[in-house]
Amino acid sequence: MEETVEDPATSAVLLDPCHFSQVIFNSVEKFYIPGGDITCYYTLTQHFTPRRKDWIGIFRVGWKTTREYYTFMWVTLPIDLNSKSAKQQEVQFKAYYLPKDDEYYQFCYVDQDGVVRGASIPFQLRPENEEDILVVTTQGEVEEIEQHNKELCEENKQLKDSCVSLQKQNSDMQARLQKKQEELETLKSINKKLEQTMKEQKDCWETELLQLKEQNQKMSSENEKMGVRVDQLQAQLSIQEKEMEKLVQGVQDKTEHLEHLKKESDQLFVSLTEQMEDNPQLTYTGLNYDSSPYQAPTSNQEGARQNPGLVYGNPYSGIQESSAPSLLSIKNCPTCKSDFADDLFYHTLEQHTQTLSLNCPICDKTFPGKEKQIFEDDEFFHGL
């Protein structure tokens, strides 16, 4: 078979044999001697126009489809298709592409759609002898060919019926394909809407994410400021705690001092009571309630040395015994429990009470008048 750039167009279904007469093969020999080239002559009828991909093939007699060619040659298009000389054409088959057996073959013209447009009488490739010439000249071979053509027509009819069935199946497949295409278009539309929705949702998420990032940045900045403020407040708190500790320590010191003064006052009261018991004629005429009760007379320092527990000495040790009233005329102060002469009790009670009593307006605590500093410290402590 001659090498070609591409295979010719073929068909799996035979068409109507009436197409076979559109191309007529001329001067076809009954047999050709093997080993030589074969020239195929053919004529194009007026009802047929050749095309560039038409071809002529050699087929073994009994073929059913154009795919069963043994070898082929591309046709040569006439220069002028309208001239009469253009109707007669020829192609040449080289010897080395021809069949090597003695079966019957024939030429067939096939157009570029795979449709047979003409077929020659059968021929053989074998040496010539007298017996062969005698057989060829008989009518038996012609009848055999006609019978073969009838068989081909019957097969062609069956193939046509098969083609109709195939066409119906193809129509059904086309309808199903159309339905599938419509479904595909619907799915494409739905997919497009989903893509649009996803895009809008994505844009919304991106906007929300940007807002959250901005809020996070603001919160971080505020947290940093709050952290600085907390550090400042902690520093202030630490300072205030230290100051509070100092104040508490001062209050404790004042309280200890107050307790110490109270002990001294008790000691003074005990000492006064002892002196009154030892000297019942003792008098309070020389006692000045506006002056400090802790200032001792300069003439009697031994009384203070006799009682080492008194820091400021005994203020009553220097009072003369001759001026002391009778113990029956002494009255007790209801506020501080101090003793006063009967003739001085009512006169100095109000002044003595104001002097010795200092009331806290916050805690209602009462302080002796001589403990004014402690009273002021108590007010200061309430103001913290």
Side-chain angles (χ1 to χ4, degrees):
M1 181 186 297
E2 183 179 355
E3 295 182 359
T4 58
V5 177
E6 58 182 330
D7 293 334
T10 60
S11 175
V13 179
L14 284 175
L15 299 180
D16 195 339
C18 64
H19 295 155
F20 290 7
S21 62
Q22 293 180 350
V23 177
I24 300 173
F25 289 91
N26 305 317
S27 304
V28 178
E29 302 292 340
K30 299 299 181 180
F31 63 88
Y32 294 92
I33 298 175
D37 298 338
I38 296 178
T39 301
C40 175
Y41 301 95
Y42 61 96
T43 301
L44 304 176
T45 64
Q46 61 181 355
H47 302 293
F48 178 73
T49 301
R51 289 179 290 179
R52 186 174 62 86
K53 291 296 183 179
D54 294 352
W55 53 283
I56 295 176
I58 297 177
F59 292 80
R60 180 180 295 177
V61 174
W63 57 273
K64 295 181 179 180
T65 67
T66 55
R67 295 179 180 177
E68 300 177 16
Y69 65 89
Y70 184 84
T71 185
F72 80 98
M73 290 293 296
W74 296 111
V75 301
T76 302
L77 294 180
I79 297 176
D80 186 4
L81 295 176
N82 295 324
S83 64
K84 293 183 180 180
S85 61
K87 303 300 182 181
Q88 181 70 33
Q89 301 295 324
E90 65 179 46
V91 292
Q92 188 178 57
F93 290 91
K94 296 297 182 180
Y96 51 83
Y97 288 126
L98 297 174
K100 306 302 181 183
D101 54 27
D102 58 354
E103 297 289 337
Y104 285 94
Y105 293 90
Q106 63 182 148
F107 300 113
C108 291
Y109 188 103
V110 184
D111 65 11
Q112 67 179 19
D113 296 326
V115 179
V116 178
R117 298 297 180 175
S120 70
I121 62 174
F123 62 86
Q124 287 182 293
L125 291 157
R126 63 183 179 84
E128 183 181 1
N129 53 49
E130 294 180 357
E131 184 180 356
D132 292 333
I133 295 174
L134 184 60
V135 171
V136 171
T137 56
T138 63
Q139 286 294 117
E141 185 177 288
V142 175
E143 294 176 356
E144 182 180 354
I145 292 173
E146 290 178 353
Q147 181 64 29
H148 181 65
N149 286 335
K150 289 181 181 180
E151 294 175 356
L152 290 177
C153 290
E154 183 65 25
E155 292 179 0
N156 187 34
K157 182 180 179 181
Q158 295 176 358
L159 291 173
K160 282 184 177 180
D161 295 338
S162 177
C163 180
V164 171
S165 177
L166 291 174
Q167 287 177 350
K168 185 178 183 305
Q169 293 179 6
N170 182 49
S171 177
D172 295 339
M173 292 296 294
Q174 290 290 339
R176 293 175 59 186
L177 178 62
Q178 180 66 25
K179 185 177 180 180
K180 292 295 184 182
Q181 287 178 345
E182 292 175 357
E183 293 177 355
L184 179 61
E185 292 298 328
T186 303
L187 291 176
K188 285 183 179 180
S189 177
I190 295 174
N191 185 49
K192 185 176 180 180
K193 292 180 181 180
L194 289 176
E195 288 179 352
Q196 181 66 25
T197 303
M198 289 297 295
K199 184 178 182 301
E200 294 175 356
Q201 187 67 34
K202 182 180 179 182
D203 294 339
C204 180
W205 287 343
E206 290 178 352
T207 302
E208 292 180 357
L209 180 61
L210 182 60
Q211 293 176 354
L212 289 175
K213 286 183 179 180
E214 293 177 354
Q215 293 178 0
N216 187 32
Q217 291 178 355
K218 291 180 180 179
M219 292 297 293
S220 298
S221 177
E222 293 178 359
N223 288 337
E224 292 179 359
K225 293 179 181 179
M226 291 297 294
V228 174
R229 180 59 179 166
V230 167
D231 294 338
Q232 294 176 352
L233 292 176
Q234 287 180 347
Q236 293 178 1
L237 180 61
S238 178
I239 294 173
Q240 292 178 356
E241 287 178 350
K242 292 180 180 179
E243 293 178 353
M244 181 63 72
E245 291 176 357
K246 292 180 180 179
L247 291 175
V248 170
Q249 184 63 37
V251 170
Q252 291 178 352
D253 294 341
K254 295 292 184 180
T255 302
E256 293 177 357
H257 181 64
L258 177 62
E259 294 294 332
H260 183 70
L261 291 177
K262 185 177 181 181
K263 290 180 180 180
E264 288 187 353
S265 178
D266 294 339
Q267 291 176 358
L268 286 174
F269 180 76
V270 171
S271 176
L272 178 61
T273 302
E274 292 176 352
Q275 291 182 13
M276 291 178 64
E277 292 176 352
D278 295 337
N279 192 359
Q281 301 301 321
L282 183 64
T283 181
Y284 290 87
T285 304
L287 188 62
N288 187 3
Y289 295 97
D290 295 333
S291 63
S292 174
Y294 301 120
Q295 184 174 0
T298 57
S299 60
N300 190 1
Q301 298 294 334
E302 293 180 357
R305 288 193 297 267
Q306 292 175 358
N307 191 352
L310 298 178
V311 178
Y312 303 100
N314 189 349
Y316 306 105
S317 60
I319 301 176
Q320 296 180 0
E321 297 178 359
S322 60
S323 60
S326 175
L327 292 176
L328 297 176
S329 63
I330 296 176
K331 294 185 177 181
N332 189 266
C333 178
T335 301
C336 61
K337 307 301 181 181
S338 299
D339 295 329
F340 294 93
D342 185 33
D343 56 349
L344 298 177
F345 176 78
Y346 297 101
H347 177 74
T348 61
L349 178 61
E350 181 178 359
Q351 181 180 4
H352 175 69
T353 302
Q354 293 178 354
T355 303
L356 296 182
S357 300
L358 295 175
N359 295 324
C360 177
I362 298 175
C363 63
D364 294 333
K365 187 176 181 180
T366 302
F367 296 90
K370 62 183 178 180
E371 299 176 356
K372 183 177 181 180
Q373 182 62 42
I374 300 175
F375 169 75
E376 293 177 353
D377 292 340
D378 181 71
E379 284 188 331
F380 175 74
F381 179 77
H382 288 304
L384 293 178

